[in-house]
Amino acid sequence: MSTSGQPQFRYTQTPSKVLHLRNLPWECTEEELIELCKPFGKIVNTKCNVGANRNQAFVEFADLNQAIQMVSYYASSSEPAQVRGKTVYIQYSNRHEIVNNKSPGDVPGNVLLVTIEGVEAGDVSIDVIHLVFSAFGFVHKIATFEKAAGFQALIQFTDAETASSARVALDGRSIPRYLLPEHVGSCHLRISYSAHTDLNIKFQSHRSRDYTNPYLPVNPTAIEGPVQPVVGPDGKKKEPESNVLLASIENMQYAVTVDVLHTVFSAFGTVQKIAIFEKNGGTQALIQYPDIATAAVAKETLEGHCIYDGGYCKLHLSYSRHTDLNVKAYSEKSRDYTIPDASLLAGGQVSAPTAWQNPQAGPMYPMNNYAAGPTQVPAGQVPAWDPAVQAGGPVYASAPGTFPGQTYSAPPVPTYVTAAMPVGSSPLSQSSTISPGVASMPMTQTGIQPNLRPGGAPPVGQPPYYGR
DNA sequence: AGCACA
């Protein structure tokens, strides 16, 4: 029902020091907004790129009279308010202050987040980006990456002022055609501020540059430039080999933790880093080895095999484009085993040591996810084919407080695997289930009560019900 | 061209 007899445009009736602007170009920046409004008074807050079309904005003056001045001026002016040639319509807002201004990308900083629309990563070289943005000041660092939003670049300037000048000048503009491959159509730049202040560039490569450090090593796998598909002898495209494997985990009925993956992939050599993440509704993991050879063996051996019996947690492996993962040293979803343990233990930030360091340690996993086993190592946490765990004895042979392969020069294969698996034998060749060194583990027979068990300890070899 | 955010 009609709530009042007011006309439809009642918003225009009540002056407010907040003005509502519409029909703005979607590229309109805060700076342009301020340019338009500041002749009328002091602006204390703005909010731009509002609405589904990002073509509305709010401006808050310090004083109500200043807002009235602006509205009155344009009400009687023969020249309408304009931004980038578009007529801007100005009214009093129905609110009297701007709240929650500034999405993170609007908070000025010295690092810009640039989204290059309508292109693929290979279309715009980092040199072109550098060229374009260097026009505004010294570009310290550039990192490029592909996300759901498209091809993006982080560009680090000396200060927020320089970054801002680049943003004002380039946001919504296009990279000149002559700098782009012919097949590229439009390529608009969408620019916001990054929350970063100093990018962590590890290598000079086709994806990232540090112009402040010419001696930074060149990433050997990245030097070749934009992903050139390697063509195998059969003429088919082959993904370039890498020391980092990308594992997609299919049919993941059970928890696959960092520890589980570490155990599985350590059978082939030192695992340096692990990261687990969700992608396209599935679970994937990146596993980093020191070298390609180790990764290759792991990939060949594990491909298509299952972590757990019964076809659960089937692994599909490919080479990642990464060569060095940047992961949190110790988190639910990632682990960096190359961090010296001293920092881990001394730091006090880490809630618990890993299981193999101290099997007697208290609960270290979210116990709501796991049925506690008879030992302090939760059943299912370490895949049950690990004979040492089954035996209930000391689980790992690593020296206390050291990480395998890190502080001592033992063979790259963890002891428990070496002992169980004859060198040269392929651990998984006999079975579709990963069970190195145990030809036929007494695992649950396929198809028997895999997981839907209310209560009770899981059968040996069976991970606990996930999601209880 | 018509009022944000969470």
Side-chain angles (χ1 to χ4, degrees):
Chain A
M1 294 302 104
S2 180
T3 55
S4 77
Q6 293 292 340
Q8 181 184 1
F9 301 124
R10 65 192 157 86
Y11 298 136
T12 61
Q13 310 299 313
T14 312
S16 162
K17 58 183 166 40
V18 180
L19 299 183
H20 176 224
L21 294 81
R22 28 183 239 262
N23 201 39
L24 290 158
W26 63 271
E27 310 95 307
C28 181
T29 64
E30 181 184 32
E31 287 82 358
E32 288 171 300
L33 214 53
I34 292 171
E35 283 304 310
L36 178 70
C37 301
K38 76 176 179 195
F40 301 94
K42 184 182 182 197
I43 295 149
V44 297
N45 216 340
T46 65
K47 190 178 199 61
C48 50
N49 307 121
V50 164
N53 299 325
R54 300 173 37 103
N55 55 9
Q56 299 175 45
F58 296 90
V59 173
E60 180 177 342
F61 283 99
D63 191 87
L64 176 63
N65 288 327
Q66 298 167 344
I68 293 173
Q69 293 242 339
M70 182 165 183
V71 169
S72 320
Y73 176 84
Y74 283 112
S76 57
S77 170
S78 56
E79 289 292 312
Q82 286 189 329
V83 169
R84 300 195 190 200
K86 283 191 77 177
T87 295
V88 177
Y89 300 89
I90 304 171
Q91 293 173 289
Y92 299 113
S93 172
N94 58 0
R95 301 192 200 180
H96 288 84
E97 62 179 347
I98 293 177
V99 292
N100 220 5
N101 180 52
K102 301 231 194 299
S103 55
D106 289 329
V107 180
N110 64 319
V111 178
L112 295 178
L113 172 62
V114 179
T115 303
I116 308 176
E117 299 176 338
V119 305
E120 295 183 19
D123 294 337
V124 185
S125 76
I126 209 162
D127 296 308
V128 165
I129 296 171
H130 183 246
L131 184 68
V132 168
F133 282 85
S134 290
F136 304 90
F138 178 59
V139 172
H140 289 233
K141 301 173 184 178
I142 298 178
T144 66
F145 46 94
E146 276 185 289
K147 280 280 171 66
F151 184 44
Q152 297 190 308
L154 288 164
I155 300 171
Q156 178 175 340
F157 286 101
T158 303
D159 48 44
E161 288 66 38
T162 316
S164 171
S165 67
R167 184 180 125 124
V168 169
L170 294 178
D171 193 17
R173 306 280 297 273
S174 292
I175 293 175
R177 294 302 304 263
Y178 62 86
L179 292 174
L180 299 170
E182 287 179 12
H183 71 270
V184 175
S186 66
C187 110
H188 285 107
L189 302 174
R190 278 271 48 175
I191 305 180
S192 60
Y193 293 105
S194 163
H196 289 97
T197 55
D198 190 21
L199 303 177
N200 180 14
I201 308 291
K202 295 200 170 173
F203 296 103
Q204 311 285 14
S205 79
H206 66 289
R207 314 185 154 270
S208 64
R209 296 286 165 80
D210 182 345
Y211 300 96
T212 68
N213 181 6
Y215 301 109
L216 195 69
V218 172
N219 184 342
T221 63
I223 195 171
E224 297 146 25
V227 260
Q228 293 170 340
V230 177
V231 179
D234 50 358
K236 281 200 297 189
K237 276 185 192 171
K238 230 176 87 184
E239 55 187 348
E241 292 184 325
S242 166
N243 62 313
V244 178
L245 293 178
L246 172 65
S248 302
I249 304 170
E250 189 187 295
N251 194 16
M252 204 177 91
Q253 299 287 313
Y254 304 122
V256 174
T257 62
V258 170
D259 300 276
V260 168
L261 291 174
H262 184 255
T263 308
V264 170
F265 284 84
S266 288
F268 307 92
T270 305
V271 171
Q272 294 182 318
K273 301 177 188 179
I274 292 177
I276 301 175
F277 55 95
E278 300 291 318
K279 186 156 185 182
N280 306 329
T283 297
Q284 301 191 343
L286 291 163
I287 298 98
Q288 177 174 338
Y289 286 110
D291 52 72
I292 291 176
T294 311
V297 173
K299 177 175 180 291
E300 291 311 308
T301 312
L302 293 178
E303 171 57 34
H305 291 270
C306 302
I307 297 177
Y308 298 114
D309 208 354
Y312 300 117
C313 305
K314 188 173 186 180
L315 292 171
H316 291 287
L317 296 166
S318 60
Y319 293 113
S320 166
R321 294 190 305 271
H322 294 274
T323 56
D324 188 23
L325 304 177
N326 201 352
V327 299
K328 282 202 181 119
Y330 191 101
S331 82
E332 184 84 13
K333 295 289 180 193
S334 71
R335 207 63 50 91
D336 183 344
Y337 301 95
T338 68
I339 302 285
D341 62 299
S343 66
L344 264 183
L345 298 174
Q349 307 302 319
V350 177
S351 54
T354 51
W356 47 264
Q357 275 183 301
N358 182 3
Q360 300 310 314
M364 57 198 68
Y365 306 101
M367 295 311 281
N368 56 328
N369 276 350
Y370 305 100
T375 71
Q376 288 298 329
V377 178
Q381 199 57 49
V382 176
W385 44 259
D386 182 333
V389 169
Q390 299 251 307
V395 180
Y396 299 95
S398 315
T402 61
F403 283 73
Q406 182 62 21
T407 51
Y408 68 102
S409 55
V413 179
T415 310
Y416 72 94
V417 174
T418 322
M421 181 177 59
V423 174
S425 76
S426 175
L428 303 182
S429 54
Q430 305 303 319
S431 164
S432 67
T433 296
I434 300 166
S435 48
V438 187
S440 56
M441 281 293 296
M443 294 184 112
T444 54
Q445 280 71 35
T446 312
I448 292 183
Q449 54 163 25
N451 56 356
L452 295 172
R453 270 174 313 94
V460 169
Q462 197 64 27
Y465 174 42
Y466 180 60
R468 159 168 97 93

PDB file of all heavy atoms in Angstrom, chain A residues 9 11 22 91 94-95, chain B:
ATOM      1  N   PHE A   9       9.373  11.311  -6.198  1.00  0.00           N
ATOM      2  CA  PHE A   9      10.724  11.859  -6.063  1.00  0.00           C
ATOM      3  C   PHE A   9      10.916  12.590  -4.741  1.00  0.00           C
ATOM      4  O   PHE A   9      11.542  13.622  -4.670  1.00  0.00           O
ATOM      5  CB  PHE A   9      11.027  12.780  -7.245  1.00  0.00           C
ATOM      6  CG  PHE A   9      10.920  12.076  -8.540  1.00  0.00           C
ATOM      7  CD1 PHE A   9      10.086  12.545  -9.537  1.00  0.00           C
ATOM      8  CD2 PHE A   9      11.634  10.912  -8.763  1.00  0.00           C
ATOM      9  CE1 PHE A   9      10.003  11.872 -10.746  1.00  0.00           C
ATOM     10  CE2 PHE A   9      11.546  10.239  -9.969  1.00  0.00           C
ATOM     11  CZ  PHE A   9      10.720  10.714 -10.969  1.00  0.00           C
ATOM     12  N   TYR A  11      12.778  11.948  -2.494  1.00  0.00           N
ATOM     13  CA  TYR A  11      14.168  12.023  -2.041  1.00  0.00           C
ATOM     14  C   TYR A  11      14.745  13.412  -2.274  1.00  0.00           C
ATOM     15  O   TYR A  11      15.642  13.839  -1.587  1.00  0.00           O
ATOM     16  CB  TYR A  11      15.032  11.018  -2.807  1.00  0.00           C
ATOM     17  CG  TYR A  11      14.623   9.603  -2.583  1.00  0.00           C
ATOM     18  CD1 TYR A  11      14.542   8.719  -3.638  1.00  0.00           C
ATOM     19  CD2 TYR A  11      14.325   9.150  -1.303  1.00  0.00           C
ATOM     20  CE1 TYR A  11      14.187   7.411  -3.437  1.00  0.00           C
ATOM     21  CE2 TYR A  11      13.957   7.840  -1.093  1.00  0.00           C
ATOM     22  CZ  TYR A  11      13.888   6.974  -2.171  1.00  0.00           C
ATOM     23  OH  TYR A  11      13.529   5.673  -1.968  1.00  0.00           O
ATOM     24  N   ARG A  22      24.129   9.754 -10.027  1.00  0.00           N
ATOM     25  CA  ARG A  22      23.883   8.598 -10.893  1.00  0.00           C
ATOM     26  C   ARG A  22      24.241   8.921 -12.323  1.00  0.00           C
ATOM     27  O   ARG A  22      24.579  10.051 -12.654  1.00  0.00           O
ATOM     28  CB  ARG A  22      22.437   8.144 -10.789  1.00  0.00           C
ATOM     29  CG  ARG A  22      21.458   9.206 -10.441  1.00  0.00           C
ATOM     30  CD  ARG A  22      20.076   8.643 -10.296  1.00  0.00           C
ATOM     31  NE  ARG A  22      19.309   9.372 -11.276  1.00  0.00           N
ATOM     32  CZ  ARG A  22      18.574  10.421 -10.991  1.00  0.00           C
ATOM     33  NH1 ARG A  22      18.338  10.761  -9.789  1.00  0.00           N
ATOM     34  NH2 ARG A  22      17.999  11.115 -11.926  1.00  0.00           N
ATOM     35  N   GLN A  91      21.357  14.409  -6.707  1.00  0.00           N
ATOM     36  CA  GLN A  91      20.246  14.638  -5.779  1.00  0.00           C
ATOM     37  C   GLN A  91      20.732  14.513  -4.350  1.00  0.00           C
ATOM     38  O   GLN A  91      21.793  13.957  -4.096  1.00  0.00           O
ATOM     39  CB  GLN A  91      19.150  13.593  -5.988  1.00  0.00           C
ATOM     40  CG  GLN A  91      18.444  13.691  -7.297  1.00  0.00           C
ATOM     41  CD  GLN A  91      17.521  12.514  -7.468  1.00  0.00           C
ATOM     42  OE1 GLN A  91      17.976  11.402  -7.673  1.00  0.00           O
ATOM     43  NE2 GLN A  91      16.244  12.752  -7.344  1.00  0.00           N
ATOM     44  N   ASN A  94      18.939  10.021   0.496  1.00  0.00           N
ATOM     45  CA  ASN A  94      17.974   9.832   1.569  1.00  0.00           C
ATOM     46  C   ASN A  94      18.649   9.415   2.873  1.00  0.00           C
ATOM     47  O   ASN A  94      17.991   9.116   3.842  1.00  0.00           O
ATOM     48  CB  ASN A  94      16.889   8.825   1.161  1.00  0.00           C
ATOM     49  CG  ASN A  94      17.492   7.486   0.796  1.00  0.00           C
ATOM     50  OD1 ASN A  94      18.705   7.318   0.849  1.00  0.00           O
ATOM     51  ND2 ASN A  94      16.656   6.552   0.415  1.00  0.00           N
ATOM     52  N   ARG A  95      19.962   9.390   2.864  1.00  0.00           N
ATOM     53  CA  ARG A  95      20.684   9.155   4.121  1.00  0.00           C
ATOM     54  C   ARG A  95      21.535  10.379   4.434  1.00  0.00           C
ATOM     55  O   ARG A  95      21.835  11.185   3.558  1.00  0.00           O
ATOM     56  CB  ARG A  95      21.575   7.915   4.012  1.00  0.00           C
ATOM     57  CG  ARG A  95      20.778   6.675   3.694  1.00  0.00           C
ATOM     58  CD  ARG A  95      21.604   5.451   3.876  1.00  0.00           C
ATOM     59  NE  ARG A  95      21.037   4.318   3.160  1.00  0.00           N
ATOM     60  CZ  ARG A  95      21.569   3.119   3.162  1.00  0.00           C
ATOM     61  NH1 ARG A  95      22.688   2.905   3.808  1.00  0.00           N
ATOM     62  NH2 ARG A  95      21.005   2.138   2.496  1.00  0.00           N
TER      63      ARG A  95
ATOM     64  P    DA B   1      20.491   6.421 -18.839  1.00  0.00           P
ATOM     65  OP1  DA B   1      21.874   6.220 -19.151  1.00  0.00           O
ATOM     66  OP2  DA B   1      19.470   5.622 -19.511  1.00  0.00           O
ATOM     67  O5'  DA B   1      20.203   6.315 -17.287  1.00  0.00           O
ATOM     68  C5'  DA B   1      21.252   6.170 -16.375  1.00  0.00           C
ATOM     69  C4'  DA B   1      20.716   6.382 -14.972  1.00  0.00           C
ATOM     70  O4'  DA B   1      20.207   7.732 -14.863  1.00  0.00           O
ATOM     71  C3'  DA B   1      19.566   5.462 -14.603  1.00  0.00           C
ATOM     72  O3'  DA B   1      19.668   5.114 -13.237  1.00  0.00           O
ATOM     73  C2'  DA B   1      18.320   6.298 -14.874  1.00  0.00           C
ATOM     74  C1'  DA B   1      18.816   7.711 -14.589  1.00  0.00           C
ATOM     75  N9   DA B   1      18.197   8.706 -15.469  1.00  0.00           N
ATOM     76  C8   DA B   1      17.900   8.592 -16.796  1.00  0.00           C
ATOM     77  N7   DA B   1      17.339   9.667 -17.318  1.00  0.00           N
ATOM     78  C5   DA B   1      17.276  10.555 -16.239  1.00  0.00           C
ATOM     79  C6   DA B   1      16.793  11.869 -16.119  1.00  0.00           C
ATOM     80  N6   DA B   1      16.262  12.550 -17.134  1.00  0.00           N
ATOM     81  N1   DA B   1      16.887  12.452 -14.902  1.00  0.00           N
ATOM     82  C2   DA B   1      17.435  11.767 -13.895  1.00  0.00           C
ATOM     83  N3   DA B   1      17.923  10.520 -13.886  1.00  0.00           N
ATOM     84  C4   DA B   1      17.808   9.973 -15.092  1.00  0.00           C
ATOM     85  P    DG B   2      18.814   3.962 -12.640  1.00  0.00           P
ATOM     86  OP1  DG B   2      19.764   2.909 -12.257  1.00  0.00           O
ATOM     87  OP2  DG B   2      17.652   3.678 -13.498  1.00  0.00           O
ATOM     88  O5'  DG B   2      18.251   4.639 -11.312  1.00  0.00           O
ATOM     89  C5'  DG B   2      19.019   5.619 -10.645  1.00  0.00           C
ATOM     90  C4'  DG B   2      18.420   5.868  -9.275  1.00  0.00           C
ATOM     91  O4'  DG B   2      17.569   7.033  -9.327  1.00  0.00           O
ATOM     92  C3'  DG B   2      17.542   4.737  -8.729  1.00  0.00           C
ATOM     93  O3'  DG B   2      17.683   4.741  -7.320  1.00  0.00           O
ATOM     94  C2'  DG B   2      16.152   5.158  -9.165  1.00  0.00           C
ATOM     95  C1'  DG B   2      16.236   6.669  -8.976  1.00  0.00           C
ATOM     96  N9   DG B   2      15.357   7.450  -9.829  1.00  0.00           N
ATOM     97  C8   DG B   2      14.765   7.097 -11.015  1.00  0.00           C
ATOM     98  N7   DG B   2      14.038   8.047 -11.534  1.00  0.00           N
ATOM     99  C5   DG B   2      14.165   9.100 -10.625  1.00  0.00           C
ATOM    100  C6   DG B   2      13.593  10.394 -10.648  1.00  0.00           C
ATOM    101  O6   DG B   2      12.864  10.890 -11.499  1.00  0.00           O
ATOM    102  N1   DG B   2      13.979  11.133  -9.537  1.00  0.00           N
ATOM    103  C2   DG B   2      14.794  10.692  -8.530  1.00  0.00           C
ATOM    104  N2   DG B   2      15.043  11.537  -7.552  1.00  0.00           N
ATOM    105  N3   DG B   2      15.327   9.481  -8.501  1.00  0.00           N
ATOM    106  C4   DG B   2      14.965   8.742  -9.577  1.00  0.00           C
ATOM    107  P    DC B   3      17.159   3.492  -6.505  1.00  0.00           P
ATOM    108  OP1  DC B   3      17.285   2.284  -7.326  1.00  0.00           O
ATOM    109  OP2  DC B   3      15.843   3.880  -5.989  1.00  0.00           O
ATOM    110  O5'  DC B   3      18.162   3.390  -5.295  1.00  0.00           O
ATOM    111  C5'  DC B   3      19.542   3.093  -5.525  1.00  0.00           C
ATOM    112  C4'  DC B   3      20.314   3.377  -4.263  1.00  0.00           C
ATOM    113  O4'  DC B   3      20.423   4.801  -4.098  1.00  0.00           O
ATOM    114  C3'  DC B   3      19.633   2.843  -3.000  1.00  0.00           C
ATOM    115  O3'  DC B   3      20.616   2.363  -2.103  1.00  0.00           O
ATOM    116  C2'  DC B   3      18.930   4.059  -2.435  1.00  0.00           C
ATOM    117  C1'  DC B   3      19.904   5.173  -2.842  1.00  0.00           C
ATOM    118  N1   DC B   3      19.269   6.495  -3.021  1.00  0.00           N
ATOM    119  C2   DC B   3      19.660   7.549  -2.179  1.00  0.00           C
ATOM    120  O2   DC B   3      20.521   7.345  -1.324  1.00  0.00           O
ATOM    121  N3   DC B   3      19.079   8.759  -2.339  1.00  0.00           N
ATOM    122  C4   DC B   3      18.156   8.941  -3.284  1.00  0.00           C
ATOM    123  N4   DC B   3      17.621  10.159  -3.409  1.00  0.00           N
ATOM    124  C5   DC B   3      17.742   7.878  -4.160  1.00  0.00           C
ATOM    125  C6   DC B   3      18.314   6.671  -3.990  1.00  0.00           C
ATOM    126  P    DA B   4      20.546   0.818  -1.721  1.00  0.00           P
ATOM    127  OP1  DA B   4      19.849   0.061  -2.772  1.00  0.00           O
ATOM    128  OP2  DA B   4      20.057   0.798  -0.348  1.00  0.00           O
ATOM    129  O5'  DA B   4      22.073   0.384  -1.726  1.00  0.00           O
ATOM    130  C5'  DA B   4      22.818   0.468  -2.937  1.00  0.00           C
ATOM    131  C4'  DA B   4      24.295   0.569  -2.616  1.00  0.00           C
ATOM    132  O4'  DA B   4      24.598   1.890  -2.116  1.00  0.00           O
ATOM    133  C3'  DA B   4      24.764  -0.408  -1.551  1.00  0.00           C
ATOM    134  O3'  DA B   4      26.089  -0.806  -1.845  1.00  0.00           O
ATOM    135  C2'  DA B   4      24.727   0.424  -0.283  1.00  0.00           C
ATOM    136  C1'  DA B   4      25.104   1.798  -0.794  1.00  0.00           C
ATOM    137  N9   DA B   4      24.484   2.896  -0.051  1.00  0.00           N
ATOM    138  C8   DA B   4      23.156   3.126   0.147  1.00  0.00           C
ATOM    139  N7   DA B   4      22.903   4.195   0.847  1.00  0.00           N
ATOM    140  C5   DA B   4      24.155   4.717   1.129  1.00  0.00           C
ATOM    141  C6   DA B   4      24.576   5.850   1.842  1.00  0.00           C
ATOM    142  N6   DA B   4      23.732   6.698   2.428  1.00  0.00           N
ATOM    143  N1   DA B   4      25.903   6.077   1.927  1.00  0.00           N
ATOM    144  C2   DA B   4      26.734   5.223   1.344  1.00  0.00           C
ATOM    145  N3   DA B   4      26.465   4.129   0.646  1.00  0.00           N
ATOM    146  C4   DA B   4      25.148   3.931   0.579  1.00  0.00           C
ATOM    147  P    DC B   5      26.409  -2.264  -1.829  1.00  0.00           P
ATOM    148  OP1  DC B   5      27.562  -2.455  -2.711  1.00  0.00           O
ATOM    149  OP2  DC B   5      25.186  -3.070  -1.978  1.00  0.00           O
ATOM    150  O5'  DC B   5      26.881  -2.420  -0.329  1.00  0.00           O
ATOM    151  C5'  DC B   5      28.098  -1.816   0.100  1.00  0.00           C
ATOM    152  C4'  DC B   5      28.253  -2.086   1.571  1.00  0.00           C
ATOM    153  O4'  DC B   5      27.199  -1.382   2.268  1.00  0.00           O
ATOM    154  C3'  DC B   5      28.119  -3.572   1.927  1.00  0.00           C
ATOM    155  O3'  DC B   5      29.114  -3.926   2.871  1.00  0.00           O
ATOM    156  C2'  DC B   5      26.718  -3.678   2.525  1.00  0.00           C
ATOM    157  C1'  DC B   5      26.507  -2.286   3.110  1.00  0.00           C
ATOM    158  N1   DC B   5      25.087  -1.875   3.091  1.00  0.00           N
ATOM    159  C2   DC B   5      24.530  -1.385   4.272  1.00  0.00           C
ATOM    160  O2   DC B   5      25.250  -1.319   5.288  1.00  0.00           O
ATOM    161  N3   DC B   5      23.229  -0.998   4.267  1.00  0.00           N
ATOM    162  C4   DC B   5      22.514  -1.090   3.158  1.00  0.00           C
ATOM    163  N4   DC B   5      21.255  -0.688   3.203  1.00  0.00           N
ATOM    164  C5   DC B   5      23.066  -1.581   1.944  1.00  0.00           C
ATOM    165  C6   DC B   5      24.340  -1.970   1.955  1.00  0.00           C
ATOM    166  P    DA B   6      29.602  -5.368   2.860  1.00  0.00           P
ATOM    167  OP1  DA B   6      31.036  -5.369   3.199  1.00  0.00           O
ATOM    168  OP2  DA B   6      29.108  -6.006   1.633  1.00  0.00           O
ATOM    169  O5'  DA B   6      28.782  -5.975   4.090  1.00  0.00           O
ATOM    170  C5'  DA B   6      28.866  -5.354   5.388  1.00  0.00           C
ATOM    171  C4'  DA B   6      27.890  -6.053   6.301  1.00  0.00           C
ATOM    172  O4'  DA B   6      26.537  -5.745   5.870  1.00  0.00           O
ATOM    173  C3'  DA B   6      27.994  -7.568   6.276  1.00  0.00           C
ATOM    174  O3'  DA B   6      27.715  -8.073   7.583  1.00  0.00           O
ATOM    175  C2'  DA B   6      26.930  -8.001   5.289  1.00  0.00           C
ATOM    176  C1'  DA B   6      25.855  -6.937   5.484  1.00  0.00           C
ATOM    177  N9   DA B   6      25.108  -6.667   4.253  1.00  0.00           N
ATOM    178  C8   DA B   6      25.508  -6.829   2.957  1.00  0.00           C
ATOM    179  N7   DA B   6      24.614  -6.498   2.066  1.00  0.00           N
ATOM    180  C5   DA B   6      23.528  -6.080   2.843  1.00  0.00           C
ATOM    181  C6   DA B   6      22.245  -5.597   2.507  1.00  0.00           C
ATOM    182  N6   DA B   6      21.826  -5.451   1.245  1.00  0.00           N
ATOM    183  N1   DA B   6      21.421  -5.272   3.519  1.00  0.00           N
ATOM    184  C2   DA B   6      21.860  -5.425   4.773  1.00  0.00           C
ATOM    185  N3   DA B   6      23.030  -5.865   5.212  1.00  0.00           N
ATOM    186  C4   DA B   6      23.834  -6.178   4.193  1.00  0.00           C
TER     187       DA B   6
END
